Every structure is written in structure tokens, then in C-alpha cells.
Amino acid sequence: MDPTLLVGDIVERDTAELKKPSFPNAPPTTTGFPQHKKRWTGSAFKQQRAKAAADSMTDASTPDNAKNLSRRTVQDDRQSFEETEKKRIDQENRSRLDAMTPQEIAQAQEDLMNGLNPALVQRLLQRARIDEPTDPSPFDLPLSKEAAETAPTRTGTELEADKEAESKPAATKKSVSFQDVPEDFDEDREPAHIPDDLIAATDLGKESTHFPGPPKVADLDPSDPDFLENLHKKYFPDLPADPSKLAWMAPIPTEGSVADKESSYYPHEEIPVSALRFDFRGRFLSPRVSRSIPSSKGLHHHGEAPEAAGYTVSELARLARSAVPAQRCMAFQTLGRILFRLGKGEWGKSVDDPIAMGVWKAAKDGRVLDTLNEAAMVEGGHRGSKAYAMEALWLFEKGGWREKVKGR
């Protein structure tokens, strides 16, 4: 099928047949703007209330609702009738009592006492006195002979107690009164005279009970041999003493003293290899050099010999397992340099040298290689620690000590 057949001819329409659009004619306003058109008659809540009121009025016309309304009306009429009847009966009783003579009242009281339990009547009369303590009751007359015989009698002790209570004067009530304040009173003005019991704060003795103080303890001297004991007595007297936890605060022994000579890194003739100390570059520090280095170099710490600078291999092995990343990084870096110098033969070129084997034994006892391997292969964690552990292992391999001790 030819697609050109689907296209029709273009036909032009007459514009006169089209209807022009027309705009709505809005009513004129004074402001020139269209007025607001209210599009709703009220809120949904008001509409619901109006509808409920209309439904209630409509339901009232139904037989069931009319029956309910009539029932409520009958109930209200019954309540009003009961109230009216009560008032009528009360008025009738009062008028009858007013018309009775005292003899008739006494006779009615005697008949009442004979017909009821005297204890019950006495209790009712007491309640009447409590309700109206000032007004005497017309029924406060002596009991009959039969009622007096059955009523409970009071003992002599109770009667004497009642007489004593009546003879005692009534307790006076306490009251509070205020002096008249003059008009020219000024609370900031100095008083006319100083009270006798007023004491200046500077006059109070140190032993005053108003301001108790802690027991006096001598001033602490760090060079005192009993420094730790005095420290505990002054600041922690209620806590149990544990010298091991305060050992790091002990003062450094003076040079040449007995405590100084007992140190593990004092320049004795013989020093164990495990006590040898190294600096951060892995270089060996002799006892004399170690003790001469100032503390500003950062090599002093609270170890086995706090007066000597440097670290032993065992101390570095403990720091390599620290929870602080900075301590682990320092330990890994120093151990790697020590192992590198050990392999290069700075402390003995053969495995038979006692110093070299002593350093290697200290590293094995501290499981240094195991710690380095674990830190280098761990996933995640502190990246600096991992990098320094890998560097230490590379320095150990570069030094060649593994080849020397292979097979031993």
C-alpha cells in the first residue's frame, strides 16, 4: 500500500467561525484585587458537633428515646418528692418536740432507755455531744434505775483522775508575735551594739570542733627513704597499702649509696648479658655511659634500673605487646635494629661468642620473633605498628643472624 495515500489535503478553515474567548466579569472592588471567596462553612469538628446535635433532636422524637426521657423525668420527680417528704417529717418532729413538756420528754426518754440497749444509747448520746459540744441536748437527763444498774460503772481511780483533770488549769496556747519595725530601719546598717556571743573567725582556734581538719603529717620529701610510706599516710590512709603499685614513684637512689650499688646496672665487674641496655638505634650502652646520659634524651623509664638510660631486650619484648600503639612502634623499631646489629657481628661474629648468644637468648625468651610475625600478618589494626614489625623482620633477615644459628 502506498503510504502517500494516507496523507490528506490541507484545508484552511474560516476564522470567522471560531468563537473568541471571553473572560468572566468580576465584580468591581475598592482595592482593585478580587475578593476572597469562602470555600468552606466550618471545620470538620464543628460540622460533626452540629450533626450530632441534630441527630439527638431527631432521636428524641422516636418512641424509644421518648421512653428514656420520660423515665428520667419520673426519676427526677421521685427524688424531689423524697426530699420534700423528708423536710415535712423533720418539721413535724420539731413542732411535736416544741409542744412537749419536760415531764413528757422524761417519760419518752425512760421508755426509750427501757426498750434499747443502754450502752448503745450512751454511745449515741456521746456522738451527739461530739457533733454539738456547746448545745445541751434535751435528752441529757438522768438514766432510769434499770438503765443505771445495767450501765458500766466507773472505778474510784477513774473518778479521781477526772477530778484532777478538772482541777488543773487549761494549757495556755503558744503564740508568736513580731515587733513593729520602724520606718527608718536599714538592714545594711551596722548594729548599735555587738552581741556578746559573736566571735570573729580569726579568733577561732585550730582545734575548734566547728572546723575539724585532717591529722598533721610531715611534708613529703622525695629523697626520704620512707617517701612511699609517708605518701600513703598523708593522701591514702583509708586504702590498703600496696608498695608494688607505688614502686615507680620511689626516688632514684643517690650515686654511691647502698641502694645505688644494689642496682642491676651498676658498673660491677660482672654484669649479666640480659641486663645490657640499648638506645633507640640499637647501639649498646655500657653502664658508665648509660648512667651519664641526661634524662632529656627520653631513654629513662621506670624499669628495673630507673637511674640508667636505655632499654633491655626483655623490656622491649614487653613493650612490643603493649596496648598503646606508640609503645609498640618504638619497641618494634628498636628490636629490628638490635637484631640487625646482632647479625652483622657487632657483639660477636660467631655463635660461640657469649655476648651475642646472650642477646639472642633474651630475644628468644621474650618471643620477639613470634610477636613481630603476628603483628606483621594481622589484618587491620594500627598500620604503623604493622609497618614497623615488617621492617624489623626485614632487618633481621638482612643482618644474616638466622643463617648463623640455623641448625642450633
Side-chain angles (χ1 to χ4, degrees), residues 89-370:
I89 294 173
D90 180 65
Q91 186 177 2
E92 183 180 353
N93 291 336
R94 291 180 180 276
S95 60
R96 184 175 297 180
L97 286 174
D98 295 338
M100 293 177 64
T101 60
Q103 292 78 11
E104 292 176 351
I105 293 175
Q107 184 64 33
Q109 182 186 20
E110 185 176 358
D111 296 340
L112 183 62
M113 293 299 179
N114 294 333
L116 297 176
N117 186 3
L120 177 61
V121 176
Q122 189 70 19
R123 190 174 300 172
L124 294 176
L125 292 177
Q126 290 177 357
R127 291 184 60 185
R129 293 192 188 96
I130 293 174
D131 296 338
E132 299 177 359
T134 57
D135 298 336
S137 174
F139 293 97
D140 291 342
L141 299 176
L143 299 176
S144 61
K145 295 181 179 180
E146 297 179 359
E149 292 177 357
T150 56
T153 58
R154 298 175 63 83
T155 62
T157 306
E158 295 177 352
L159 293 175
E160 292 177 0
D162 294 341
K163 291 180 181 180
E164 291 179 0
E166 292 176 359
S167 62
K168 289 181 179 180
T172 58
K173 295 183 178 180
K174 295 182 179 181
S175 61
V176 180
S177 61
F178 299 92
Q179 297 180 355
D180 296 335
V181 180
E183 296 181 357
D184 59 345
F185 176 74
D186 186 7
E187 59 181 7
D188 297 331
R189 187 174 57 188
E190 184 178 357
H193 64 281
I194 301 177
D196 299 335
D197 57 348
L198 185 62
I199 302 174
T202 56
D203 297 338
L204 294 175
K206 296 183 179 180
E207 304 297 333
S208 175
T209 56
H210 297 282
F211 302 97
K216 295 182 179 180
V217 182
D219 294 336
L220 299 179
D221 185 8
S223 60
D224 188 2
D226 299 330
F227 170 74
L228 297 180
E229 184 178 357
N230 295 335
L231 178 67
H232 181 267
K233 288 181 180 180
K234 185 172 183 178
Y235 295 104
F236 314 102
D238 299 333
L239 297 179
D242 190 357
S244 62
K245 293 184 178 180
L246 300 178
W248 64 275
M249 299 183 64
I252 297 176
T254 57
E255 187 177 357
S257 62
V258 178
D260 186 31
K261 293 180 180 180
E262 293 177 354
S263 175
S264 61
Y265 216 54
Y266 187 77
H268 297 287
E269 295 180 358
E270 295 183 0
I271 297 177
V273 181
S274 60
L276 298 180
R277 296 187 170 274
F278 305 88
D279 61 2
F280 292 133
R281 295 183 176 274
R283 295 175 298 189
F284 168 68
L285 297 175
S286 64
R288 297 185 184 278
V289 174
S290 176
R291 294 164 67 89
S292 63
I293 295 177
S295 58
S296 59
K297 298 297 183 180
L299 290 171
H300 289 78
H301 56 92
H302 303 288
E304 297 177 357
E307 77 283 354
Y311 291 84
T312 63
V313 176
S314 58
E315 290 173 350
L316 292 172
R318 286 194 297 268
L319 290 175
R321 295 188 293 271
S322 173
V324 182
Q327 293 181 348
R328 295 200 306 270
C329 292
M330 184 273 296
F332 292 160
Q333 188 180 41
T334 307
L335 286 172
R337 293 171 179 179
I338 292 174
L339 294 175
F340 177 78
R341 293 178 183 275
L342 176 64
K344 289 299 182 180
E346 288 193 8
W347 308 303
K349 296 185 178 298
S350 64
V351 294
D352 296 330
D353 191 281
I355 297 179
M357 289 304 298
V359 174
W360 175 243
K361 183 178 182 300
K364 289 176 61 178
D365 294 341
R367 303 179 64 87
V368 172
L369 293 180
D370 295 340

